[in-house]
Amino acid sequence: MCCRPAVERAFAEMKASGAPDRHALEAALIIHRFHHPEVPFQDALTEVSRWTVGRLVH
């Protein structure tokens, strides 16, 4: 997806600023949802989790 670099950058920059994983993931998810509002929330969360933290979030 074309938004992957923006999603990964948002996550990395949030983490670099000292934000917890959850907040960084939420920021990355917001960017993904902005670019792809048609993707169901759970699918978006799964994809963003794979791109950023490398694991599924339950």
Side-chain angles (χ1 to χ4, degrees), residues 37-58:
E38 75 285 356
V39 175
F41 178 82
Q42 195 59 46
D43 293 346
L45 178 58
T46 299
E47 188 161 47
V48 169
S49 296
R50 286 183 186 142
W51 292 350
T52 57
V53 294
R55 59 181 167 77
L56 294 178
V57 175
H58 298 282

Side-chain angles (χ1 to χ4, degrees), residues 16-36:
S17 75
D21 282 350
R22 180 177 178 167
H23 294 173
L25 183 61
E26 288 171 359
L29 186 57
I30 288 169
I31 290 171
H32 184 284
R33 302 275 296 160
F34 176 81
H35 287 277
H36 302 284

